[in-house]
Amino acid sequence: EVENTLFRVAIGKLVDESEFFKNLFAEGSPAIDTTRGEEGESVDHPIIIGDESPDDFALLMRWVYKKYDIVPFKAKEWIACLRIAHKFGVPLLSKAAQEALQGETFDPVEKVQLCFNYDLDLAWAKDAVSNICYSWDPLPLLPQTDAYH
């Protein structure tokens, strides 16, 4: 369950794709309340996934179930996939998102921030790094001053 939205998912699919879920469902994992013995076994006793939006979790589920088909995400959705892949440890989704976003036009600073936020190889943003280094425009992260006047 994600923010009162119930997702019925085959545990095996999640475990195969995600380090987070692999650890969550590992035998003896303290993440699931085994004292009740029911968590995740029915819609009345779902496993609660906190700090996540149902829309973004739905992207993860679409990818997990249809990754071998062409998943027609928009650029904004692929960026959400980068975040969710990082959060739940889904390297194949991260790779697919990076490949899908390769041809997109980004603000160079935003592309570099994606690399740092989601532990991506900086080579993915090589063009952005070059644009920042060779740009005469001030970086948007730095405040402009009148130091030269």
Side-chain angles (χ1 to χ4, degrees):
E1 183 176 317
V2 182
E3 284 187 9
N4 298 320
T5 300
L6 190 62
F7 291 86
R8 294 188 69 164
V9 181
I11 291 172
K13 285 233 181 239
L14 290 177
V15 168
D16 288 344
E17 299 295 332
S18 164
E19 284 299 315
F20 173 86
F21 289 107
K22 189 179 297 180
N23 293 333
L24 181 69
F25 294 111
E27 194 168 323
S29 172
I32 296 179
D33 182 5
T34 54
T35 59
R36 290 188 338 192
E38 300 171 335
E39 190 171 15
E41 292 181 9
S42 72
V43 294
D44 295 326
H45 302 284
I47 296 169
I48 307 296
I49 304 294
D51 297 326
E52 194 52 64
S53 82
D55 291 339
D56 288 354
F57 196 78
L59 291 174
L60 174 63
M61 293 300 97
R62 272 180 58 200
W63 188 83
V64 163
Y65 279 93
K66 295 184 175 247
K67 70 175 172 257
Y68 297 109
D69 297 335
I70 295 174
V71 181
F73 291 145
K74 298 175 183 159
K76 183 179 176 181
E77 292 171 323
W78 280 118
I79 292 170
C81 285
L82 284 175
R83 185 190 63 74
I84 211 161
H86 181 259
K87 179 177 181 177
F88 292 113
V90 187
L92 291 176
L93 176 56
S94 179
K95 182 179 180 192
Q98 290 174 65
E99 289 171 0
L101 291 169
Q102 192 61 45
E104 294 291 326
T105 303
F106 282 95
D107 173 79
V109 173
E110 179 186 9
K111 194 166 188 180
V112 171
Q113 284 176 326
L114 288 172
C115 285
F116 285 104
N117 289 345
Y118 306 125
D119 294 327
L120 307 179
D121 185 348
L122 202 53
W124 180 70
K126 185 172 74 173
D127 60 325
V129 172
S130 294
N131 288 341
I132 291 169
C133 290
Y134 294 110
S135 174
W136 288 98
D137 298 327
L139 290 174
L141 297 177
L142 304 175
Q144 290 184 331
T145 64
D146 290 330
Y148 298 107
H149 294 249

